[in-house]
Amino acid sequence: MTTTTLRATGVHVEDTGSGPTILCLHGIGSSSASFAPQIAALAGEFRLLAWDAPGYARSADPDTSLDLDGFADAAAAVIEEYAAAGPVHVLGVSWGGVIAVRLASRHPQLVRSLVLADASRGSGTSPEKAAAMRTRAAELDAAGSAAFAGGRGPRLVSAAAPDELVDRVVATMRDSIRLPGYGLAAESMATTDLTPELAAIDTPTLVLCGDQDQVTGITESQALAGGIPDAVLVTLRGAGHLANQESPEAFNAWLSSFVGIVERLYG
């Protein structure tokens, strides 16, 4: 595994494996560490680039206020630096899936396929969701990362998840989030409703969702799959919001098969 930081943006990237490139974009409470199950299983088949988003974990704090376009452009810079301007496959989990869709809208030439895992159209789909998202920065500031992660982390997996996984999810969140990055991410979600741009996405898309996801839920995955032309929706039995960590074998099988098919058809 190679660990590097982009000179221009200060974005930390884990660069592992060889083969077709998959850019991995984590959720709002996480980091590149959340893709350990994919890196361990698939690095012999694919090259995986897993970032820490600007303002997260080992990445530098952004020197300007980033909105969703800014996060998508930062992801585009990773592709341009590491993958000779792509195109690459993009795996986005939760908030990472929201960034991935905007990346495909703004930089379609960089994206060969999308895998949207337990993602959503953003929190701007309703005033209630947007308002709830906007409370998060203040909650983090008041509680600190350890207490904040301890309260939120267990909700991201199913009730049947093993304690070891719950502890790992909480620890990853604790070690990844801080202000201002988390606040910028939350605001980017609060102001976003991807619905109008889904129909223009012209790239093969797989939507994956844990059937026990109580955070974004199957309804949001159905909206993404229904809005993106020819997208395929798959639910993973027994998994919560972090299906890539809770059901890694099934998740990795679908990811590997889908990317392999796209490569054979379009590579």
Side-chain angles (χ1 to χ4, degrees):
M1 179 185 295
T2 300
T3 300
T4 54
T5 301
L6 270 71
R7 291 184 297 276
T9 62
V11 171
H12 174 88
V13 178
E14 299 284 347
D15 182 356
T16 311
S18 60
T21 299
I22 303 174
L23 174 64
C24 303
L25 307 176
H26 60 78
I28 197 169
S30 197
S31 70
S32 58
S34 64
F35 294 105
Q38 284 66 60
I39 291 171
L42 300 177
E45 185 177 358
F46 303 110
R47 182 189 185 197
L48 295 106
L49 302 175
W51 80 345
D52 295 337
Y56 277 73
R58 287 167 287 182
S59 287
D61 293 335
D63 54 14
T64 59
S65 182
L66 296 180
D67 57 9
L68 189 66
D69 286 352
F71 284 110
D73 291 348
V78 172
I79 297 172
E80 290 167 345
E81 171 117 355
Y82 283 82
V88 304
H89 306 275
V90 181
L91 164 60
V93 172
S94 193
W95 172 59
V98 180
I99 297 172
V101 172
R102 182 57 58 83
L103 172 64
S105 293
R106 287 175 64 80
H107 304 279
Q109 77 283 2
L110 300 181
V111 180
R112 188 177 297 284
S113 76
L114 290 172
V115 180
L116 309 176
D118 297 278
S120 76
R121 293 165 294 166
S123 299
T125 53
S126 78
E128 295 77 17
K129 289 181 180 179
M133 186 60 69
R134 287 192 168 103
T135 67
R136 292 202 186 182
E139 292 171 0
L140 172 60
D141 190 40
S145 62
F148 185 87
R152 295 200 65 87
R155 309 176 197 176
L156 304 181
V157 292
S158 75
D163 291 343
E164 179 185 1
L165 175 58
V166 176
D167 291 345
R168 188 163 67 247
V169 168
V170 170
T172 297
M173 184 182 294
R174 179 198 66 212
D175 295 342
S176 300
I177 61 173
R178 64 180 183 272
L179 297 174
Y182 186 82
L184 294 173
E187 183 63 20
S188 78
M189 284 288 284
T191 58
T192 296
D193 178 2
L194 295 173
T195 305
E197 63 198 81
L198 296 180
I201 299 297
D202 185 25
T203 187
T205 301
L206 172 64
V207 180
L208 296 171
C209 184
D211 68 356
Q212 302 299 308
D213 185 346
Q214 302 299 313
V215 179
T216 54
I218 293 175
T219 300
E220 276 298 308
S221 288
Q222 289 172 331
L224 288 171
I228 298 173
D230 301 319
V232 175
L233 171 63
V234 174
T235 57
L236 301 178
R237 184 178 301 174
H241 184 61
L242 299 181
N244 72 302
Q245 297 182 64
E246 191 166 2
S247 295
E249 295 84 4
F251 188 98
N252 292 343
W254 280 104
L255 174 62
S256 174
S257 295
F258 178 74
V259 171
I261 290 169
V262 174
E263 281 293 309
R264 288 193 291 275
L265 291 176
Y266 304 104

